[in-house]
């Protein structure tokens, strides 16, 4: 479809005398092909809610697009005409989402809670990502269109072909449409960033307002009078249609779930022991070792109990509760897995046959029932949060429940650490923990008496959730490390199978350490998500916050998210192994088939390595969305740094590039610089390593090889030369002395026969005759050893003849 009009245009312009017009038409042909190939890329699908209407921005309609695609042979089915309608709809969806979020943030009839703010933040994050992808896609069309218009020109040339004129007009229309869409995408991206900032500010305001909320003190009679007047409001939640209309079934379901957990946990633990799960009871001196050895059995039991608790609750809810129990039933369903895990992991530790059973009995007695108290406290915490969000009770009764919960949590913590303080093994930390818990209880009571119940409840709930999260994350981390150690240990079944595939044991150990580190990072992110909540241990809330960490945010056009960081790390690791394998192939397979010397080979490998890493760095910047505009401040900072403190670094860098390009010195050359002589071992981008005769290495900055005088003994060739000067008595026959010196030189294998050694008379005095021996050596590196050997041979040869000889 693009050949005939372009061919007609080319033949028409070939008959014209203007060479510039012909060149322009040839450029049109090449850019037309470029446009066709650029249009083959599939459009980016932007996920956004359905749009109601589009803002008043110039975007081509379906009718115009169809007409344009039929009349423009260069874009029919390809290019901008094929994706403009799709991008317009995607931008409309983004605009609708922005309007909806803006309306929610500015409504006055009701407050926006943290859960709703999290949902809005997730939608805004999607809009930011979608609009950023749209900007990238539209920008490519804008660049190609601008290039096309530069070749066509802004106005018609003399005797221009009508098809070229029509094509220019269509491209100008396309350029206007592309720029309009680009402006819309950038505008929506900016608005999404502003709304994200507003959401974060609203979340901070809610947290501050909740912590500083002041109510009537429970010491005041008005508090209890108000509680009595709220009877009707509190009872209404239990009536049909209320939040707690199915309270009896909810209560029975919780009781059954906890009963199933308590009854099934010993059975599952016995089953795990029979299946081979290692479980080691502790003695008085090996509590820590027993816990470490039984960590997998503890985690497995907790995980299975979490699954059983979840199945039990959902079966009960589906059988007896309409709509699953409503929002309260949903909260219970999200919390019982955590409760099951806590109780299931606590039994192998605190049970009658647990790790502490045969150890110190005082510790087990002090910690008896801690797992059940912790699980029930987590469930009550989430229920109180749900009651508050659903307005299940009146404000005063809700405050009273929060008061009772906060004081109960503080008392349980104080009592537990007080009992642990009497044990020998826990005296190291129990007194400090007792002091902190006592201080927390004091602050809680004072806050409640002053009327700051919300602060006391939030503080205790947050510490309870954070403490539980730390315990769970620590248990999972230890279990993950133990599993990896067993899998990748020497002689294990898994290691033996991997070693058969060619992986050595040291590499397997490295893989185990890397996987352990990645698991710890994910667990720390999970703990960070738990800490971000305001005391809730809802699985949905924690999952949403963890997902936001993966989705990330776009700051000044740069996407910062966990998935981007992971992708960058994976790309860097993969590039490292690919570059290393390629270097090995070039060095071991390709270079042996060439006649390149060792210096050329080293320079080629160094240049290949640096260029490869530069390309990898550009790819990483592209994945992160960093452009030249984002790096403007970095370039400015580097300019200042170069002007002040980085001059020598840049000088050495440029000198290293010159050394690799011109190669005045190469790897393997013997050089002398600043009075030091040695062999060049390595040339890097900043410095050069010179091996000295004593076995040490001298690191010389590359700039010294450019700015100072360097003696390269092997630059002109591999051979070397040696000159020795001797003095013999004047009575010695010169020809006899000359032949003796040549005879000594000829017996050395290091001396070349061509050019032949030479002896000449360099000076004559009244007492002595000065002779100079010049020889060529196989290698310049042999000069010192050959000199010593020749001197010894000359001394022995002349002494045997009775001739006294000395060196000048």
């Amino acid at each position: 479809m693009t050949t005939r009009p372009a061919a007609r245009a080319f033949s028409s312009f070939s008959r014209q005398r203007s060479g510039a017009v012909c060149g322009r038409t040839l450029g049109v042909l090449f850019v037309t092909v470029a446009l066709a190939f650029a249009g083959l890329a599939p459009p980016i699908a932007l996920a956004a809610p359905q749009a109601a209407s589009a803002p008043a921005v110039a975007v081509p309609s379906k009718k115009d697009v169809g007409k344009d695609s039929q009349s423009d042979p260069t874009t029919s089915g390809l290019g901008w005409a094929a994706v403009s309608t799709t991008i317009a709809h995607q931008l409309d969806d983004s605009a609708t989402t922005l309007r909806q979020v803006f309306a929610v943030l500015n409504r006055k009839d009701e407050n926006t809670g943290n859960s709703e703010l999290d949902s809005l933040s997730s939608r805004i994050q999607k809009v930011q990502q979608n609009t950023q992808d749209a900007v990238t896609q539209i920008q490519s069309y804008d660049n190609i269109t601008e290039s096309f218009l530069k070749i066509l020109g802004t106005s018609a040339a003399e005797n221009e072909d009508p098809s070229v004129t029509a094509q220019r007009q269509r491209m100008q229309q396309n350029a206007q449409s592309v720029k309009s869409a680009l402006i819309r995408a950038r505008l929506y991206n900016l608005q999404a960033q502003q709304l994200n900032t507003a959401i974060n500010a609203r979340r901070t305001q809610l947290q501050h307002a909740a912590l500083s909320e002041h109510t009537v003190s429970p010491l005041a009679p008005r508090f209890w009078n108000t509680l009595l007047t709220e009877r009707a409001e509190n009872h209404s939640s239990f009536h049909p249609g209320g939040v707690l209309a199915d309270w009896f079934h909810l209560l029975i379901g919780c009781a059954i779930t906890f009963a199933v957990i308590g009854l099934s946990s010993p059975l599952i633990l016995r089953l795990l022991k029979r299946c081979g799960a290692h479980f080691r009871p502790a003695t008085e001196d090996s509590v820590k070792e027993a816990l470490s050895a039984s960590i997998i059995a503890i985690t497995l039991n907790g995980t299975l109990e979490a699954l059983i608790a979840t199945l039990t609750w959902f079966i009960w809810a589906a059988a007896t509760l309409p709509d699953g129990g409503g929002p309260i039933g949903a909260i219970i369903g999200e919390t019982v897995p955590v409760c099951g895990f806590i109780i299931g992991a606590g039994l192998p530790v605190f049970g009658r046959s647990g790790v502490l059973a045969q150890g110190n009995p005082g510790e087990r007695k002090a910690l008896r029932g801690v797992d059940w108290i912790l699980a029930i406290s987590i469930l009550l915490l989430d229920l109180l949060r749900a009651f508050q969000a659903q307005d299940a009770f009146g404000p005063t009764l809700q405050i009273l429940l929060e008061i009772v919960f906060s004081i109960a949590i503080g008392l349980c913590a104080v009592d537990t650490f007080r009992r642990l303080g009497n044990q020998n093994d826990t005296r190291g930390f129990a007194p400090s923990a007792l002091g902190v818990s006592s201080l927390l209880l004091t602050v809680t009571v004072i806050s409640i008496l002053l009327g700051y119940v919300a602060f006391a409840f939030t503080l205790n709930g947050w510490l309870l959730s954070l403490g539980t999260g730390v315990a769970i994350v620590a248990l999972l981390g230890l279990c993950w490390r133990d599993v990896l150690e067993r899998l990748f240990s020497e002689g294990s079944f898994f290691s033996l199978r991997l070693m058969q595939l060619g992986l050595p044991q040291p590499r397997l150990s490295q893989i185990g350490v890397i996987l352990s580190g990645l698991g710890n990072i994910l667990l720390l992110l999970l703990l960070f998500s738990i800490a971000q909540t305001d005391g809730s241990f809802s699985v949905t809330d924690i999952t949403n916050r963890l997902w936001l960490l993966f989705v990330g945010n776009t700051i000044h056009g740069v996407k910062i998210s966990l998935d981007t960081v992971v992708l960058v790390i994976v790309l860097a690791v993969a590039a490292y192994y690919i570059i290393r394998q390629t270097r090995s192939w070039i060095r071991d397979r390709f270079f042996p088939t060439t006649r390149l010397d060792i210096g050329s080979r080293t320079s080629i490998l160094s240049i290949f390595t640096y260029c490869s890493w530069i390309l990898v760095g550009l790819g990483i910047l592209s994945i992160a969305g960093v452009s030249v505009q984002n790096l403007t401040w970095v370039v400015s900072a580097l300019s200042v740094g170069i002007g002040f403190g980085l001059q020598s670094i840049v000088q050495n860098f440029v000198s290293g590039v010159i050394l690799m390009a011109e190669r005045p010195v190469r790897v393997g050359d013997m050089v002398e610089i600043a009075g030091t002589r040695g062999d060049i071992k390595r040339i890097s981008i900043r410095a050069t390593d010179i091996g000295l005769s004593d076995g040490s290495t001298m690191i010389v900055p590359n700039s010294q090889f450019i700015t100072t005088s360097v003696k390269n003994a092997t630059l002109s060739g591999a051979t070397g030369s040696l000159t020795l000067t001797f003095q013999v008595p004047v009575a010695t026959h010169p020809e006899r002395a000359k032949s003796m010196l040549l005879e000594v030189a000829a017996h050395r294998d290091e001396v070349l026969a061509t050019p032949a050694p030479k002896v000449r008379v360099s000076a004559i005095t009244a007492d002595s005759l000065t002779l100079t021996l010049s020889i060529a050596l196989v290698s310049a590196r042999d000069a010192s050893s050959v000199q010593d050997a020749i001197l010894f041979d000359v001394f022995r040869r002349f002494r045997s003849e009775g001739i006294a000889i000395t060196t000048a």
Side-chain angles (χ1 to χ4, degrees):
M1 298 178 65
T2 61
T3 305
R4 294 181 180 177
R8 289 198 301 267
F10 178 71
S11 61
S12 174
F13 278 90
S14 64
R15 293 191 297 268
Q16 297 178 3
R17 296 180 180 180
S18 176
V21 177
C22 292
R24 180 183 300 175
T25 307
L26 286 173
V28 170
L29 292 176
F30 286 108
V31 176
T32 301
V33 177
L35 278 174
F37 279 101
L40 291 175
I44 300 175
L46 305 179
Q50 295 295 327
S53 60
V57 182
V59 177
S61 63
K62 295 181 179 180
K63 181 178 180 181
D64 297 334
V65 172
K67 181 179 179 181
D68 180 70
S69 62
Q70 294 175 2
S71 58
D72 189 0
T74 64
T75 57
S76 178
L78 301 172
W80 174 250
V83 300
S84 57
T85 304
T86 304
I87 292 180
H89 286 313
Q90 294 166 350
L91 294 178
D92 292 343
D93 294 341
S94 299
T96 302
T97 304
L98 293 174
R99 285 194 295 268
Q100 293 173 352
V101 173
F102 182 80
V104 172
L105 290 177
N106 289 272
R107 64 187 181 187
K108 299 180 180 179
D109 55 340
E110 56 180 327
N111 296 325
T112 305
N114 287 323
S115 59
E116 189 172 8
L117 288 177
D118 292 338
S119 176
L120 295 178
S121 178
S122 177
R123 296 175 64 184
I124 288 298
Q125 293 287 348
K126 292 180 180 179
V127 171
Q128 282 186 278
Q129 181 61 44
N130 293 341
T131 53
Q132 185 64 35
D133 293 341
V135 168
T136 304
Q137 185 181 14
I138 300 172
Q139 187 67 53
S140 61
Y141 289 104
D142 183 58
N143 296 334
I144 295 177
T145 306
E146 289 293 334
S147 301
F148 204 103
L149 289 176
K150 287 181 181 179
I151 297 176
L152 289 175
T154 57
S155 59
E158 185 179 358
N159 298 326
E160 185 178 68
D161 189 270
S163 62
V164 178
T165 304
Q167 193 174 23
R168 179 187 297 106
Q169 295 176 355
R170 289 192 297 270
M171 291 305 302
Q172 289 175 347
Q173 295 176 357
N174 286 341
Q176 183 179 4
S177 174
V178 170
K179 291 186 180 298
S180 299
L182 185 60
I183 292 174
R184 286 187 63 192
R186 289 175 175 173
L187 176 62
Y188 295 160
N189 186 266
L190 178 61
Q191 290 177 349
Q193 295 178 11
Q194 294 173 348
L195 286 177
N196 192 26
T197 303
I199 290 173
N200 294 331
R202 181 69 61 85
R203 184 182 287 110
T204 303
Q205 292 176 1
L206 287 177
Q207 293 175 353
H208 291 170
L211 293 176
S212 60
E213 181 182 0
H214 184 268
T215 59
V216 179
S217 173
L219 296 178
R222 185 160 61 95
F223 178 86
W224 302 100
N225 292 332
T226 306
L227 180 62
L228 295 176
T229 59
E230 292 178 353
R231 290 182 177 180
E233 183 178 355
N234 295 330
H235 287 299
S236 63
S237 299
F238 298 93
H239 295 166
V243 179
L244 296 174
D246 300 319
W247 67 272
F248 184 75
H249 295 88
L250 292 172
L251 182 61
I252 295 299
C254 292
I256 292 177
T257 301
F258 278 92
V260 170
I261 294 174
L263 294 175
S264 62
S265 186
L267 300 178
I268 294 178
L269 190 58
R270 293 177 184 174
L271 180 62
L272 290 176
K273 292 180 181 179
R274 292 183 179 180
C275 293
H278 190 63
F279 185 81
R280 176 183 173 185
T283 60
E284 294 184 0
D285 300 328
S286 62
V287 176
K288 294 182 179 180
E289 291 79 2
L291 285 173
S292 177
S294 309
I295 199 69
I296 295 180
I298 295 172
T299 308
L300 284 176
N301 195 66
T303 304
L304 293 177
E305 285 300 329
L307 295 176
I308 291 176
T310 304
L311 291 176
T312 303
W313 171 258
F314 278 105
I315 291 174
W316 173 264
T320 61
L321 297 174
D323 299 330
I328 305 299
I331 291 296
I332 296 176
E334 294 177 1
T335 310
V336 290
V338 180
C339 298
F341 184 87
I342 294 173
I343 297 174
L347 179 65
V349 180
F350 310 118
R352 294 181 178 179
S353 59
V355 174
L356 300 180
Q358 299 180 8
N360 191 341
E363 292 182 7
R364 179 177 175 272
K365 183 178 180 181
L367 295 173
R368 182 184 301 172
V370 170
D371 48 350
W372 285 86
I373 294 175
L374 187 60
I376 295 175
S377 300
I378 291 294
L379 179 60
L380 292 178
L381 175 63
D382 287 346
L383 285 177
L384 288 177
R385 292 290 183 186
F387 293 159
Q388 184 181 18
Q390 299 296 327
D391 293 330
F393 303 116
T396 308
L397 180 58
Q398 180 70 31
I399 291 173
L400 180 60
L401 294 176
E402 293 177 358
I403 290 173
V404 174
F405 178 82
S406 301
I407 295 178
I409 291 297
L411 291 176
C412 289
V414 170
D415 182 64
T416 300
F417 291 117
R418 180 187 60 81
R419 288 181 293 175
L420 287 176
N422 299 325
Q423 307 302 319
N424 295 328
D425 295 338
T426 57
R427 286 181 179 178
F429 72 93
S432 300
L434 178 61
V436 173
S437 58
S438 300
L439 178 61
L440 176 62
L441 178 61
T442 303
V443 172
T444 300
V445 173
I446 294 176
S447 301
I448 291 173
L449 295 179
L450 294 178
Y452 293 97
V453 179
F455 170 76
F457 177 71
T458 302
L459 178 62
N460 284 273
W462 184 78
L463 290 177
L464 175 64
S465 298
L466 184 60
T468 306
V470 170
I472 294 176
V473 167
L475 179 62
L476 294 177
L478 293 174
C479 178
W480 176 245
R481 186 185 64 180
D482 198 0
V483 168
L484 292 177
E485 289 179 354
R486 294 175 183 272
L487 286 178
F488 294 100
S489 62
E490 187 175 359
S492 65
F493 176 82
F494 190 71
S495 296
L496 293 177
R497 294 299 179 272
L498 292 179
M499 291 177 66
Q500 292 177 357
L501 298 177
L503 289 175
Q505 183 60 40
R507 185 57 51 85
L508 293 178
S509 301
Q510 293 177 359
I511 294 175
V513 172
I514 293 174
L515 291 178
S516 178
L518 293 177
N520 291 334
I521 292 175
L522 293 177
L523 291 175
L524 287 177
L525 292 176
L526 176 62
L527 182 61
F528 181 73
S529 302
I530 295 174
Q532 278 189 315
T533 62
D534 53 356
S536 173
F537 213 94
S538 172
V539 177
T540 303
D541 190 12
I542 296 174
T543 304
N544 290 335
R545 294 182 183 276
L546 186 62
W547 172 248
L548 288 178
L549 291 177
F550 278 89
V551 174
N553 196 0
T554 303
I555 302 176
H556 297 294
V558 180
K559 182 184 176 184
I560 301 176
S561 61
L562 186 61
D563 57 345
T564 304
V565 173
V566 172
L567 182 59
V568 167
I569 294 176
V570 171
L571 177 61
V573 174
Y576 168 77
Y577 284 102
I578 292 175
I579 293 174
R580 191 179 68 172
Q581 293 297 328
T582 306
R583 282 173 52 91
S584 301
W585 180 85
I586 295 175
R587 182 182 62 249
D588 302 333
R589 300 289 301 276
F590 177 71
F591 280 158
T593 63
T594 65
R595 298 182 178 179
L596 296 175
D597 55 70
I598 185 173
S600 301
R601 298 180 180 185
T602 305
S603 299
I604 292 174
L605 287 177
S606 300
I607 294 174
F608 166 76
T609 303
Y610 291 125
C611 292
S612 299
W613 279 114
I614 289 174
L615 293 177
V616 172
L618 294 177
I620 290 175
L621 293 178
S622 176
I623 292 175
V626 179
S627 60
V628 178
Q629 296 177 353
N630 302 126
L631 295 178
T632 302
W633 65 274
V634 179
V635 175
S636 302
L638 286 177
S639 300
V640 177
I642 291 172
F644 287 97
L646 301 179
Q647 294 181 1
S648 59
I649 296 178
V650 175
Q651 185 181 13
N652 292 325
F653 179 83
V654 175
S655 300
V657 175
I658 295 175
L659 290 178
M660 292 181 183
E662 294 185 356
R663 295 195 300 151
V665 293
R666 298 166 296 182
V667 174
D669 287 352
M670 187 173 66
V671 299
E672 183 176 349
I673 180 171
T676 303
R677 187 174 186 177
D679 296 330
I680 294 181
K681 298 170 60 178
R682 185 177 71 94
I683 301 177
S684 65
I685 201 66
R686 188 196 65 85
T688 298
D689 298 344
I690 299 179
L692 304 182
S693 58
D694 58 356
S696 61
T697 300
M698 185 176 69
I699 302 174
V700 181
N702 289 331
S703 58
Q704 293 192 17
F705 288 91
I706 305 298
T707 59
T708 60
S709 300
V710 181
K711 180 181 179 181
N712 192 338
T714 57
L715 179 62
S716 58
T719 60
S721 61
L722 181 64
T723 300
L724 299 175
T725 303
F726 302 95
Q727 289 182 348
V728 296
V730 69
T732 306
H733 194 281
E735 293 296 334
R736 178 61 177 167
K738 178 179 178 180
S739 62
M740 292 171 64
L741 291 176
L742 293 175
E743 181 182 352
V744 170
H747 281 81
R748 302 303 308 177
D749 295 336
E750 299 88 350
V751 178
L752 294 176
T754 304
K758 297 179 180 179
V759 177
R760 60 186 181 87
V761 180
S762 57
I764 301 175
T765 63
D767 300 329
S768 62
L769 184 67
T770 303
L771 301 177
T772 301
L773 173 63
S774 299
I775 56 177
L777 303 177
V778 175
S779 174
R781 296 179 180 84
D782 300 333
S784 298
S785 60
V786 173
Q787 179 178 350
D788 295 339
I790 289 179
L791 289 177
F792 278 113
D793 292 344
V794 169
F795 173 75
R796 286 192 295 265
R797 184 72 175 87
F798 276 74
R799 185 177 182 181
S800 63
E801 297 292 335
I803 302 175
I805 186 170
T806 60
T807 55

